[in-house]
Amino acid sequence: MLKKLFQSFRSPLRRTQHKRSTPEVLNSSQHSLQRAQFSRYAVNIVERLQNAGYQAYLVGGCVRDMLLNITPKDFDVATSATPEQVRAEFRNARIIGRRFKLVHIHFGREIIEVATFRAGHPQNDEEEDTNQSSRNESGRILRDNVYGTLEEDAQRRDFTINALYYDPVSERILDYANGVHDIRNNLIRLIGDPTQRYQEDPVRMLRAVRFAAKLNFGIEKHTAAPIRELAPMLREIPSARLFEEVLKLFLSGYAADTFEMLVDLQLFDPLFPASAEALEYNPTYTHTLISEALVNTDLRIKQNKPVTPAFLFAALLWPALPKRVLRLQDRGMPPIPAMQEAAHELISEQCQRIAIPKRFTMPIREIWDMQERLPRRSGKRADLLLDNPRFRAGYDFLLLRESAGEQTDGLGEWWTDYQDANDSQRREMIRELGSKGDSTGEGPKKRRRSGSKRKRSAADASGAAGE
């Protein structure tokens, strides 16, 4: 897996990069793309803009994915027309964004995003118009509405594989940055100086990892080299934006590989500082639990089953929680209040980095709270827990903990059997708990269980919170 991070190839990759003013043009006989493969709405937008006298192309991920025989999730258009000019051509168009001003053109449920060609930012601060472009002291771009030519637009894009322009009218590909070459060689490469490009937008480090995991590509060595040093810059990114980026990282079907790369490149720490600390003091358990959860998530996505960010974040943050709970219990706080207080503290800290919405933080806390309640099965407690709307997610999370090596004295197996039992069998199971002295409400003992009965597949765990 980690061999993806650093790959070097012979010419032309070791040459010093230079800006190309003319593209390599691939005619229809030199590539596999056909206009019929693309969204008819996107193709119509390109044709209408060209007929109105503007340059317009399909660009970026849809061109890249089509060349790789991957079905694109969306179709983007780049044009010489300004957002206002695009809106004048399409009644169903809407201008959005401040940092990046874009146009969304609506066709029922399908939305085609149209962006105006952009230029690079002025290097001299005195030349910078803050109404169009601005940076902070570290070089991060705060506003990016400097319009430019097609050539300038190609050079300001992040990766070579995303700087491909397809004209569905002439069926030609314009390649300004050797993007087709890098696609053929399975390589993620930044356009321009990597340090400067990461300083302009630190999220590009996360995008490099996401594309490498998604496409099974390597990250070119010069593109990878500055990442560890610049990783702390992610702390400057607004927490709401990081939430969206983390969902892309972990809910695209390649979360397990993504996690390994984030840890190796030291990008996990600025995203999940408490969990990164747990990786240091309890590496085997932390790594196993998170990896198991992400493998299960990837499997559910491949099976077109629902997944929920709540269960995902519950797993990513859980390894940092028990230590905090024990600290509060040592101060005399009862187990359930200690769990609730530690959960509140941990989630509050995490939301300063990644703005997890309340619609997910509440289920996270309920899933964790169930971990203290599930061992308490005496009397009518088991039936009440079974009726709890969060039982399924809590039970699946218990199985995840056990698969990571936690010793629960067979608690997961007991609950598996209890769900399958009839009423009289359930009463007998409760009586057996009393005869074993387990009716006090204490949590499970820390000893290895035999695990004789096969439980429900843990692959169902990642989506249970949303079912």
Side-chain angles (χ1 to χ4, degrees):
M1 170 58 219
L2 295 181
K3 68 180 181 181
K4 293 181 184 179
L5 296 180
F6 309 105
Q7 291 186 5
S8 61
F9 295 84
R10 295 178 181 175
S11 179
L13 303 185
R14 292 183 180 178
R15 299 175 188 167
T16 302
Q17 281 195 344
H18 61 280
K19 294 183 178 181
R20 295 177 56 171
S21 58
T22 57
E24 178 183 359
V25 179
L26 284 76
N27 295 314
S28 58
S29 61
Q30 297 172 288
H31 63 79
S32 60
L33 303 186
Q34 298 178 355
R35 60 178 285 160
Q37 296 174 284
F38 294 84
S39 162
R40 63 187 178 92
Y41 300 120
V43 171
N44 288 340
I45 289 171
V46 170
E47 290 180 329
R48 282 183 60 178
L49 288 172
Q50 288 186 4
N51 290 336
Y54 304 108
Q55 292 176 288
Y57 301 89
L58 291 159
V59 67
C62 65
V63 181
R64 176 200 70 221
D65 288 351
M66 283 296 192
L67 287 172
L68 290 166
N69 295 316
I70 298 172
T71 302
K73 289 187 176 180
D74 45 45
F75 297 87
D76 296 337
V77 173
T79 179
S80 60
T82 66
E84 291 74 19
Q85 290 170 332
V86 173
R87 185 172 59 180
E89 290 291 328
F90 298 91
R91 292 183 178 180
N92 51 335
R94 177 186 175 192
I95 297 177
I96 67 162
R98 296 179 60 185
R99 183 174 178 272
F100 297 103
K101 192 178 287 187
L102 303 165
V103 178
H104 279 180
I105 302 180
H106 295 254
F107 299 90
R109 292 185 176 182
E110 185 171 352
I111 298 175
I112 306 299
E113 188 170 276
V114 181
T116 304
F117 296 151
R118 286 177 168 79
H121 284 244
Q123 297 301 312
N124 188 337
D125 290 343
E126 295 179 359
E127 300 176 6
E128 196 165 67
D129 182 349
T130 56
N131 290 322
Q132 293 183 321
S133 67
S134 62
R135 305 170 187 253
N136 67 6
E137 294 179 356
S138 64
R140 180 163 64 88
I141 293 175
L142 303 176
R143 187 170 290 108
D144 184 19
N145 292 307
V146 182
Y147 302 135
T149 64
L150 171 59
E151 293 77 10
E152 290 172 322
D153 188 75
Q155 292 304 323
R156 62 156 290 281
R157 290 185 176 271
D158 51 8
F159 302 104
T160 61
I161 61 174
N162 293 335
L164 299 171
Y165 299 77
Y166 176 66
D167 182 352
V169 177
S170 65
E171 296 193 321
R172 300 183 306 164
I173 294 177
L174 306 185
D175 181 0
Y176 284 89
N178 291 321
V180 171
H181 177 278
D182 287 342
I183 285 176
R184 289 170 178 166
N185 287 280
N186 300 336
L187 197 66
I188 304 296
R189 178 200 303 276
L190 271 172
I191 298 173
D193 177 67
T195 298
Q196 179 184 337
R197 300 310 303 277
Y198 291 141
Q199 288 173 338
E200 290 174 351
D201 185 3
V203 168
R204 285 176 178 146
M205 295 183 282
L206 300 181
R207 285 169 60 82
V209 168
R210 177 158 61 87
F211 289 135
K214 172 186 175 180
L215 304 175
N216 196 27
F217 279 19
I219 302 179
E220 185 267 334
K221 63 179 182 180
H222 299 296
T223 298
I227 291 180
R228 290 185 180 87
E229 179 182 352
L230 299 179
M233 292 188 66
L234 286 173
R235 299 188 180 105
E236 302 175 12
I237 302 300
S239 58
R241 185 182 178 202
L242 282 183
F243 173 74
E244 298 299 329
E245 292 297 329
V246 166
L247 291 189
K248 293 176 185 177
L249 286 169
F250 292 123
L251 294 180
S252 298
Y254 311 92
D257 285 352
T258 297
F259 171 63
E260 299 292 345
M261 298 177 74
L262 290 174
V263 171
D264 186 81
L265 289 171
Q266 299 176 16
L267 293 167
F268 189 69
D269 190 340
L271 297 176
F272 297 93
S275 299
E277 182 182 342
L279 267 174
E280 291 291 328
Y281 67 75
N282 194 3
T284 301
Y285 170 74
T286 301
H287 186 276
T288 303
L289 184 136
I290 292 176
S291 296
E292 287 277 347
L294 298 180
V295 167
N296 295 339
T297 298
D298 291 341
L299 180 59
R300 289 186 66 87
I301 290 172
K302 287 177 173 60
Q303 295 173 341
N304 293 317
K305 293 182 178 180
V307 296
T308 170
F311 197 98
L312 175 69
F313 280 105
L316 287 166
L317 295 173
W318 171 264
L321 186 65
K323 189 176 181 179
R324 296 174 183 235
V325 174
L326 290 175
R327 185 172 64 242
L328 293 173
Q329 288 180 328
D330 289 343
R331 297 175 185 172
M333 189 176 290
I336 290 180
M339 172 70 78
Q340 294 170 343
E341 178 64 25
H344 174 75
E345 176 188 278
L346 177 57
I347 291 175
S348 296
E349 291 177 8
Q350 182 60 43
C351 285
Q352 294 177 19
R353 295 290 178 88
I354 299 173
I356 308 171
K358 189 174 182 179
R359 67 180 184 275
F360 299 130
T361 60
M362 289 299 292
I364 292 170
R365 295 180 64 174
E366 291 167 353
I367 290 169
W368 290 347
D369 187 59
M370 287 294 291
Q371 306 312 298
E372 277 293 343
R373 298 185 184 277
L374 286 172
R376 304 164 189 275
R377 300 158 283 173
S378 61
K380 296 182 179 180
R381 287 176 175 176
D383 289 333
L384 291 174
L385 284 171
L386 207 57
D387 292 335
N388 189 305
R390 203 59 66 184
F391 169 81
R392 177 73 174 272
Y395 163 72
D396 285 339
F397 201 85
L398 170 63
L399 298 187
L400 175 65
R401 290 167 52 208
E402 290 182 342
S403 71
E406 279 196 53
Q407 306 307 318
T408 65
D409 201 23
L411 184 62
E413 184 176 0
W414 189 94
W415 276 110
T416 301
D417 292 340
Y418 195 78
Q419 293 175 77
D420 295 336
N422 59 37
D423 188 63
S424 62
Q425 291 171 330
R426 288 179 178 180
R427 301 289 71 77
E428 179 60 28
M429 291 175 69
I430 296 299
R431 284 193 294 270
E432 288 179 0
L433 284 178
S435 66
K436 293 178 182 179
D438 284 349
S439 60
T440 60
E442 295 179 355
K445 299 175 183 177
K446 303 296 182 181
R447 63 179 177 88
R448 186 176 299 275
R449 64 181 182 83
S450 60
S452 59
K453 184 165 182 175
R454 186 176 182 181
K455 295 177 291 191
R456 185 173 60 82
S457 172
D460 288 342
S462 299
E467 294 180 356

